Amino acid sequence: MDRLKRLALNEEGFAFDPETGQSFVVNQTGLFILKKLREGLSEEEIIRALTEEFEVDENTARRDFYDFLEQLRILGILEKGAEEVK
Amino acid sequence: MKDLKVGVSGINAVDNPGPGVGVAKSLKEWNKDIRIVGLAYDAMEPGVYMKWLIEKSYLMPYPSQGADTYIDRLFYIKETYGLDAVISTLDAELPLYIEYAERLKEGGIANFLPTKEQFRLRSKERLPEVAEKIGVKTPKTFAVIDYKGLAEALNEIGYPAMVKGLFYKAYKVYSYQEAVEKFNLIAAEWGYPILVQQVVNGEEINLVGLGDGEGGHFGFLNIKKLWITQLGKTWTAVTIKNQKMIEAAENFVSTFKWRGGFELECIYTPEGELYLIEINPRFPAWVYFATGSGINLPARLLMAALGEEPPRDWDYEVGKLYIRFTDDFVTDMGIFQRISTLGEV
């Protein structure tokens, strides 16, 4: 979670890691999830928030959420295999 | 301080740029009255023609032509035009400047250079020792001189591996055949030994600094290269603050009492480990990045050379972007004629 917390994140979805210099861009859904993860919300809370914010059904939200977590792991933002979210 | 004349080498602002133009820009930003004396090795070095920055330029003999010829040339410049200090920026000339640092000082040419022993630390063979003393790791490395040694090293390391010259060139290889090809290529150009090194996956991060020679320093700038050219030269970079790298640099200057400019190159792994891969005993070509971020390291080096106490503050903003770009201009043939025939212009 340390790396996630130290990311500099702007409203356009540009994320910059001040320790490694890596940067990447996420869409509005990705930005929404990143913010919720940083706030420390649980998986279920984030999935519920996604269905409310983006008007999608729970299955779609769940699938997209786990896809995004996998991408964060690939980028090293979340530790691989670690139970990062509650 | 008026009429201060400072010699700067490495004014070859070409596709493989030397640090000289960045050093000259930094000195001018600190004090616009300083006159920069360009020390060129070729009449075509662009810095010779950049008269708005480098007022006077001289062709220098290659250091390989002998130290006396080289030092005589510097004193000729001192007598005929004036030369209060020199900032040497090129690997090939540094041993000569270090060897004759005292003689130059006695003759009124100030400098601020690493010692001979410090300079030797840059050798890639010494990396493991340096890394251990400053608390970082170093990739597993073998120095080899023949195919047998190469094969044994590759058996130990596996693929991919890096095949490197002692001071220049580095290739990533994926097979024994490829390793042999690069081994021959480097040996033909740079000689032996050849280094075979483990590939460490992670982000390459760099740091430029200026050691005070007593264990402290006059500033650091930590960066990540974002875009490098095919020659491996930095074209875009961003400032970062990697605590492990900054601590390693602090250990480096305090352990070795490093004097002068230096650059450390490291790999930061996803597991948060830092591997030292190179030490450069001089400023890198992108040294102006430090100046643009508020830490004018070349000016601080000059102050130290002149016996003044440079500032030691080095707080900078993370996320500053460095952009190198190509540019062009038109000038008179006369400059080329004079530097070619007279050796100065």
Side-chain angles (χ1 to χ4, degrees):
Chain A
M1 252 345 190
D2 282 353
R3 197 160 172 220
L4 184 63
K5 283 198 179 126
R6 71 172 185 246
L7 282 182
L9 206 57
N10 79 2
E11 283 308 310
E12 284 78 45
F14 184 86
F16 173 69
D17 182 344
E19 192 155 288
T20 65
Q22 270 187 323
S23 58
F24 51 94
V25 179
V26 293
N27 64 14
Q28 285 305 309
T29 318
L31 182 62
F32 183 85
I33 297 174
L34 276 180
K35 284 183 175 170
K36 298 294 175 200
L37 285 171
R38 276 159 42 129
E39 285 167 22
L41 265 61
S42 71
E43 290 186 9
E44 292 307 319
E45 282 169 333
I46 295 174
I47 291 164
R48 196 161 50 243
L50 280 169
T51 60
E52 287 161 13
E53 181 73 17
F54 296 99
E55 293 176 359
V56 289
D57 62 68
E58 194 188 317
N59 280 343
T60 308
R62 189 177 294 278
R63 193 186 61 219
D64 288 353
F65 173 70
Y66 285 117
D67 271 357
F68 187 66
L69 284 196
E70 193 48 36
Q71 287 189 45
L72 292 181
R73 288 195 181 99
I74 290 168
L75 287 166
I77 303 298
L78 287 182
E79 278 173 37
K80 283 196 177 101
E83 198 58 47
E84 285 291 346
V85 281
K86 292 165 209 161
Chain B
M1 202 56 81
K2 220 169 168 70
D3 286 340
L4 197 61
K5 289 166 181 157
V6 182
V8 177
S9 61
I11 57 170
N12 51 329
V14 293
D15 57 346
N16 180 7
V21 168
V23 169
K25 283 199 309 187
S26 302
L27 297 180
K28 285 278 191 186
E29 280 188 21
W30 174 56
N31 180 348
K32 63 179 174 35
D33 294 327
I34 284 182
R35 277 186 264 171
I36 309 291
V37 182
L39 307 175
Y41 293 95
D42 190 293
M44 283 294 188
E45 287 188 22
V48 171
Y49 302 86
M50 298 166 73
K51 289 294 183 189
W52 64 91
L53 190 64
I54 299 167
E55 285 87 350
K56 179 89 179 171
S57 288
Y58 292 84
L59 271 184
M60 297 300 291
Y62 286 115
S64 56
Q65 285 174 255
D68 285 341
T69 316
Y70 197 97
I71 300 297
D72 286 351
R73 184 68 171 158
L74 289 175
F75 281 118
Y76 164 80
I77 298 169
K78 170 122 188 118
E79 282 153 26
T80 55
Y81 181 74
L83 191 62
D84 300 297
V86 170
I87 299 183
S88 166
T89 69
L90 300 172
D91 289 329
E93 65 186 18
L94 271 166
L96 191 150
Y97 277 100
I98 291 170
E99 181 74 36
Y100 291 91
E102 281 310 311
R103 190 164 140 195
L104 290 172
K105 271 186 208 167
E106 284 162 14
I109 302 175
N111 54 71
F112 196 68
L113 294 158
T115 63
K116 260 192 243 181
E117 177 51 28
Q118 288 167 349
F119 182 79
R120 286 192 203 106
L121 295 172
R122 75 181 279 250
S123 162
K124 285 175 188 152
E125 288 174 312
R126 303 278 300 270
L127 270 187
E129 172 198 338
V130 176
E132 196 189 337
K133 284 187 179 158
I134 67 174
V136 299
K137 297 189 166 195
T138 187
K140 205 184 281 180
T141 306
F142 296 94
V144 301
I145 52 166
D146 52 23
Y147 292 157
K148 184 171 171 281
L150 179 69
E152 283 170 4
L154 287 166
N155 273 341
E156 184 73 27
I157 286 171
Y159 298 95
M162 296 302 294
V163 177
K164 295 179 161 188
L166 202 50
F167 298 116
Y168 301 102
K169 299 279 169 157
Y171 299 99
K172 196 186 256 189
V173 300
Y174 295 86
S175 68
Y176 180 67
Q177 286 73 17
E178 212 181 341
V180 168
E181 183 203 331
K182 301 306 181 196
F183 175 95
N184 289 331
L185 200 67
I186 298 168
E189 196 176 356
W190 300 104
Y192 300 98
I194 306 294
L195 303 178
V196 184
Q197 193 171 67
Q198 170 200 5
V199 172
V200 178
N201 289 316
E203 296 293 328
E204 185 184 327
I205 56 176
N206 303 52
L207 182 144
V208 60
L210 175 60
D212 67 3
E214 289 164 10
H217 66 91
F218 301 120
F220 293 156
L221 187 83
N222 191 193
I223 69 145
K224 152 101 178 111
K225 296 175 182 180
L226 297 179
W227 189 16
I228 58 169
T229 65
Q230 283 185 328
L231 291 174
K233 303 302 148 189
T234 308
W235 238 245
T236 310
V238 64
T239 52
I240 60 170
K241 277 184 184 165
N242 183 292
Q243 279 316 313
K244 280 201 174 161
M245 180 138 202
I246 289 167
E247 274 168 32
E250 270 162 356
N251 291 341
F252 177 72
V253 292
S254 65
T255 305
F256 299 105
K257 300 201 167 17
W258 187 271
R259 185 172 63 200
F262 69 91
E263 179 197 13
L264 300 180
E265 299 184 17
C266 287
I267 302 273
Y268 188 60
T269 70
E271 294 75 36
E273 286 181 319
L274 198 64
Y275 285 77
L276 180 66
I277 53 169
E278 194 159 325
I279 301 164
N280 286 315
R282 47 155 178 82
F283 287 142
W286 49 267
V287 63
Y288 181 75
F289 197 4
T291 305
S293 303
I295 309 153
N296 193 332
L297 293 178
R300 291 181 184 190
L301 185 146
L302 179 61
M303 283 182 237
L306 296 170
E308 296 170 26
E309 178 65 21
R312 288 179 186 265
D313 62 298
W314 60 284
D315 194 28
Y316 61 86
E317 210 178 304
V318 163
K320 282 279 180 192
L321 212 58
Y322 171 81
I323 309 288
R324 187 184 276 280
F325 66 109
T326 55
D327 198 1
D328 49 17
F329 62 95
V330 175
T331 187
D332 294 322
M333 185 70 175
I335 299 179
F336 179 57
Q337 283 171 354
R338 286 198 294 280
I339 189 92
S340 303
T341 54
L342 305 173
E344 60 186 87
V345 63

